[in-house]
Amino acid sequence: MTGPIGVFGGTFDPIHYGHLRTAFEMLQALRFDEVRFIPCGDPPHRGRTFAPASERLRMVELAIGGQAGFVADDRELRREGPSYTIDTLGGLREAFPTRPLGLIVGMDAFLGLTSWHRWDELLAVAHIVVAHRPGWKAPDIGPLGELISEFGTHRVDDLHEALHGRIHIHAVTQLEISSTEIRDLVAAGRDPRFLMPDEVRDRILDSRIYV
């Protein structure tokens, strides 16, 4: 494969249909060859995780099993220290020097981009693909507004023709599912069925990791 790779990071604690639907729509609409799900090892912005790293990776593997173009990537779990996105992208660039990379982030994460470690280097390694949902507005002033003005594009082909350096905002289906709410639901003894694939639900209930 020579086409773009979508890079989809998160704690995935646990992974659910909100994550999966966003990744699937990006895979299809932006014509990524693959979307790599990369569970955070030590998330510097999110505090502690609840399920062990091995369990979060296993839940991702179960969730995406059988879906062409979805790949589980454990590189952050194998790396010591904080899981900075710029380091992850650097590792992917070394592994795939001739393929465009598209970092998939939600609009909420994008609005906090300037607080990320070495955030101003991200576009030198990858494109930034913003998953836009109703209720959020892309900035038109300040550092991020300037970034969109200079590097924003509506053309999907731009994400294929350059290895990095563009910002693309793409609307995705709104699914109001929260990993926090799932953990709370399971801890209260309730069943998370229909919020995630059955394989993930069964793993959570059998392992009792959120109880």
Side-chain angles (χ1 to χ4, degrees), residues 10-11 38-49 51-53 56 74-85 87-88 117:
T11 55
I38 305 180
C40 292
D42 180 8
H45 293 282
R46 299 292 296 273
R48 73 184 184 94
T49 54
R56 292 186 288 114
D74 68 348
R75 68 185 58 242
E76 287 196 1
L77 305 182
R78 291 185 278 107
R79 191 173 69 228
E80 295 184 358
S83 298
Y84 291 124
T85 299
D87 296 331
T88 300
H117 180 63

Side-chain angles (χ1 to χ4, degrees), residues 106-173:
M107 182 61 78
D108 54 340
F110 180 72
L111 293 176
L113 194 70
T114 57
S115 68
W116 290 24
H117 180 63
R118 293 164 54 197
W119 71 274
D120 53 345
E121 300 176 30
L122 295 173
L123 285 176
V125 186
H127 304 299
I128 297 176
V129 178
V130 184
H132 183 265
R133 296 179 176 88
W136 295 91
K137 183 178 184 298
D140 53 13
I141 60 174
L144 294 179
E146 294 172 3
L147 211 64
I148 292 173
S149 176
E150 183 172 359
F151 300 107
T153 180
H154 297 293
R155 296 182 66 250
V156 172
D157 285 348
D158 287 342
L159 306 179
H160 291 246
E161 294 168 2
L163 296 179
H164 57 83
R166 307 309 299 266
I167 298 174
H168 180 79
I169 299 174
H170 182 78
V172 296
T173 300

Side-chain angles (χ1 to χ4, degrees), residues 25-53:
E25 291 185 9
M26 292 295 190
L27 179 73
Q28 291 198 316
L30 305 187
R31 307 195 308 275
F32 286 134
D33 276 355
E34 61 187 49
V35 172
R36 290 186 166 255
F37 289 74
I38 305 180
C40 292
D42 180 8
H45 293 282
R46 299 292 296 273
R48 73 184 184 94
T49 54
F50 294 85

